[in-house]
Amino acid sequence: MALMAWKDAYSVGNALLDSQHKQLIELVNDVNGDADLGEVLDGLRQYGEAHFRAEEDLLEAARYPDLEQHREHHEAFRAWLAEVIAARRSGGDAAVVRRDVHHYLSIWLANHLLVADKAFEPWLE
Ligand SMILES: [Fe+2]
């Protein structure tokens, strides 16, 4: 699976959120690498907690009108990840989990980062 790279076009115009989005791309790449799967999943969980909170706080302060819908996207990510972690703990095949996680995250980057997150860029200016 091809490694992903950050592009300036992904920027949402906020240094903190951009650095967290870069971290997500690194985690996506780690899924494909030699990194321990449990650690990658734990990294994703910690990432989700910190990043979604930071993003939602900024959007709340900016009075972003689509915040509730955006929160639902984040909640869907959390629910998906909880299922993956549970599946892995109950003996899910690591190669299958890696492939599914990479697939979901690739779609998440395309749909969430490049569409839903880009949509709030003007509100953070
Ligand atoms: Fe987001």
Side-chain angles (χ1 to χ4, degrees):
M1 286 175 275
L3 289 183
M4 297 204 49
W6 170 263
K7 295 183 184 137
D8 288 341
Y10 299 165
S11 173
V12 294
N14 177 279
L16 172 66
L17 298 183
D18 283 350
S19 76
Q20 291 177 332
H21 287 153
K22 286 175 188 167
Q23 198 190 338
L24 177 60
I25 288 176
E26 279 176 31
L27 283 164
V28 174
N29 289 330
D30 285 348
V31 174
N32 291 327
D34 298 330
D36 178 81
L37 183 58
E39 283 177 22
V40 173
L41 294 177
D42 202 46
L44 275 170
R45 194 182 49 74
Q46 288 177 33
Y47 167 86
E49 304 281 330
H51 169 58
F52 294 153
R53 193 179 314 120
E55 198 173 274
E56 289 168 14
D57 285 353
L58 281 166
L59 295 180
E60 199 168 341
R63 299 178 191 275
Y64 180 56
D66 293 327
L67 177 56
E68 281 317 305
Q69 189 192 23
H70 205 93
R71 279 192 213 277
E72 286 171 18
H73 282 218
H74 292 168
E75 200 46 49
F77 183 101
R78 288 191 190 95
W80 162 77
L81 186 60
E83 272 181 35
V84 171
I85 290 172
R88 176 69 185 130
R89 283 195 183 133
S90 61
D93 181 84
V96 173
V97 173
R98 273 186 203 274
R99 196 190 58 218
D100 289 351
V101 168
H102 185 262
H103 180 71
Y104 183 95
L105 293 178
S106 301
I107 292 171
W108 173 268
L109 288 174
N111 290 345
H112 190 80
L113 203 161
L114 295 182
V115 180
D117 286 351
K118 283 299 274 188
F120 63 61
E121 185 174 7
W123 293 84
L124 296 183
E125 282 171 357

